């Protein structure tokens, strides 16, 4: 998954109608504006310290552009830092946010100021491990290269110790997923927040409290595809385990709020009023704006499956819109 996605993102712009998928910032400017205002509000309640804006996997830079414009209206103009490995996407981001500083990893992010971090559809693309229950016990799901191409196959080493005790005796064919890469990144960022101050919003599709199930998927030309076909030519992702992200953040010394559903969060932060204002300013776009609003907030679209997790320094206020 890591090798396939590294090649995939390095060789194409996958976002939009001509790509394989579309993200919330590309649906409407309202999404990035709400993110920016949420972070700016947290910053103001923390006393308006000098800080830096960080985005992990910033796509085309659309979210950052909209968020920074909203932040400026709120009186916040932070330096911008992008964590991005794709040279092609860096070029797109440079067009949208030319003042940004780029990083290959989180290790080189600023260490002397609080960080305002956003990760939108970032963790879903990180490589995960899968364990499958066989008649001989739990085995790690590996990838074999046979006459018909790549295919999943159980490994030979026993993996029962990797499985929660109450799931060890599950039915054959059951799948348990773990994403140590995501957990390590969140823990490291939480340690940064605890030490430097700041807050982070992780927004993605995923689950909270579910422990089993196969969520690995591939998208190609806006349709689901075989994850083991066309390696490097399809977007590989998996549902984010928000329970695991929250646990990693707490281990890093940060506070956690949520997750809450994306639709609930956007509405709590005023997306309905923003949609109405945009429609008044451009009545010819009223139907387009209404369609974007529904896509971002409706339970049948992105509103329920996508969730928002807030992580913040112990001395910083909880970001707005987080009911729990």
């Amino acid at each position: 998954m890591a090798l396939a996605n590294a090649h995939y993102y390095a060789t194409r712009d996958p976002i939009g109608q001509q790509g394989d998928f579309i993200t919330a910032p590309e649906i409407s400017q309202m999404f990035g504006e709400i993110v920016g205002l949420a972070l700016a509000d947290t910053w103001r309640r923390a006393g308006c310290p000098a800080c830096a804006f960080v985005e992990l996997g910033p796509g085309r830079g659309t979210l950052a552009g909209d968020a920074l414009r909203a932040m400026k209206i709120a009186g916040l103009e932070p330096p911008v830092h992008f964590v991005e490995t794709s040279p092609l996407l860096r070029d797109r981001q440079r067009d949208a946010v030319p003042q940004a500083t780029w990083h290959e990893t989180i290790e080189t992010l600023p260490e002397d100021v609080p960080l305002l971090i956003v990760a939108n559809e970032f963790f879903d693309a990180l490589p995960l491990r899968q364990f499958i229950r066989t008649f001989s016990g739990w085995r790690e799901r590996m990838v074999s290269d046979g006459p018909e191409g790549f295919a999943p196959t159980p490994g030979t080493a026993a993996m029962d110790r990797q499985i929660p005790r109450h799931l060890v005796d599950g039915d054959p064919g059951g799948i348990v997923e773990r994403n140590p890469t995501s957990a390590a990144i969140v823990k490291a960022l939480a340690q940064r927040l605890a030490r430097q101050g700041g807050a982070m919003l992780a927004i993605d599709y995923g689950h909270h409290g579910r422990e089993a199930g196969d969520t690995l998927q591939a998208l190609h030309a806006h349709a689901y595809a075989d994850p083991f076909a066309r390696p490097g030519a399809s977007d590989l992702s998996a549902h984010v385990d928000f329970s695991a992200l929250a646990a990693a953040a707490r281990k890093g010394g940060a506070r956690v709020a949520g997750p809450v559903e994306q639709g609930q969060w956007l509405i709590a932060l005023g997306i309905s009023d923003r949609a109405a204002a945009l429609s008044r300013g451009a009545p010819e776009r009223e139907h387009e704006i209404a369609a974007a609003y529904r896509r971002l907030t409706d339970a049948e679209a992105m509103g329920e499956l996508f969730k928002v997790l807030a992580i913040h320094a112990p001395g910083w206020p909880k970001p707005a819109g987080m009911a729990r």
Side-chain angles (χ1 to χ4, degrees):
M1 186 172 178
L3 291 171
N5 274 350
H7 176 81
Y8 175 80
Y9 284 101
T11 55
R12 73 206 67 219
D13 178 355
I15 304 169
Q17 294 301 321
Q18 303 305 312
D20 294 321
F21 58 86
I22 190 166
T23 60
E26 304 294 335
I27 293 171
S28 172
Q29 70 187 72
M30 297 184 289
F31 184 83
E33 290 169 348
I34 294 291
V35 169
L37 290 173
L39 292 174
D41 171 72
T42 307
W43 165 77
R44 295 185 75 171
R45 289 187 286 124
C48 303
C51 62
F53 173 82
V54 176
E55 186 172 2
L56 311 180
R60 292 173 169 173
T62 304
L63 185 154
D66 293 334
L68 291 166
R69 185 178 63 254
M71 286 179 175
K72 185 175 181 179
I73 294 172
L76 173 60
E77 298 184 67
V80 181
H81 296 265
F82 287 160
V83 179
E84 178 61 70
T85 59
S86 166
L88 189 152
L89 289 176
R90 282 192 180 194
D91 288 340
R92 301 293 171 89
Q93 295 155 13
R94 193 171 288 110
D95 292 338
V97 188
Q99 74 271 30
T101 299
W102 280 265
H103 303 261
E104 290 281 331
T105 71
I106 63 172
E107 278 75 18
T108 56
L109 291 172
E111 297 182 349
D112 56 347
V113 293
L115 303 177
L116 300 175
I117 308 169
V118 58
N120 180 62
E121 293 199 50
F122 171 77
F123 290 107
D124 64 274
L126 297 184
L128 81 163
R129 299 176 70 185
Q130 286 189 333
F131 303 93
I132 185 168
R133 176 75 159 89
T134 71
F135 289 103
S136 301
W138 287 91
R139 302 290 185 266
E140 183 158 11
R141 210 174 184 211
M142 315 296 282
V143 180
S144 64
D145 185 9
E148 298 181 3
F150 291 118
T153 186
T156 57
M159 289 289 167
D160 295 59
R161 292 184 178 180
Q162 298 286 341
I163 308 303
R165 185 172 298 177
H166 63 284
L167 297 177
V168 168
D169 295 326
D171 295 332
I175 299 285
V176 169
E177 296 179 338
R178 293 287 181 267
N179 198 318
T181 304
S182 292
I185 290 174
V186 168
K187 182 180 178 182
L189 290 173
Q191 291 170 335
R192 288 287 201 101
L193 294 177
R195 184 169 65 248
Q196 297 172 222
M200 174 177 173
L201 296 173
I203 310 171
D204 227 311
Y205 59 92
H207 53 84
H208 177 55
R210 192 178 73 190
E211 296 183 286
D214 179 5
T215 71
L216 178 65
Q217 63 185 33
L219 281 176
H220 188 83
H222 297 271
Y224 290 109
D226 180 354
F228 299 95
R230 293 193 298 266
S234 298
D235 173 58
L236 297 182
S237 66
H239 287 210
V240 173
D241 182 347
F242 282 96
S243 299
L245 293 191
R250 292 187 181 100
K251 287 181 181 178
R255 302 282 175 82
V256 174
V260 297
E261 295 172 358
Q262 175 180 290
Q264 171 188 335
W265 183 75
L266 290 171
I267 291 171
L269 268 64
I271 193 174
S272 303
D273 292 338
R274 182 56 177 149
L278 288 174
S279 295
R280 287 194 300 270
E284 72 281 1
R285 297 181 56 224
E286 180 178 0
H287 293 298
E288 172 195 339
I289 294 166
Y293 173 88
R294 289 192 299 271
R295 188 166 182 182
L296 292 172
T297 61
D298 279 7
E300 295 76 16
M302 300 176 72
E304 187 173 291
L305 177 60
F306 281 72
K307 296 174 179 62
V308 184
L309 180 72
I311 303 167
H312 61 100
W316 273 56
K318 178 177 70 174
M322 310 304 297
R324 325 179 240 173

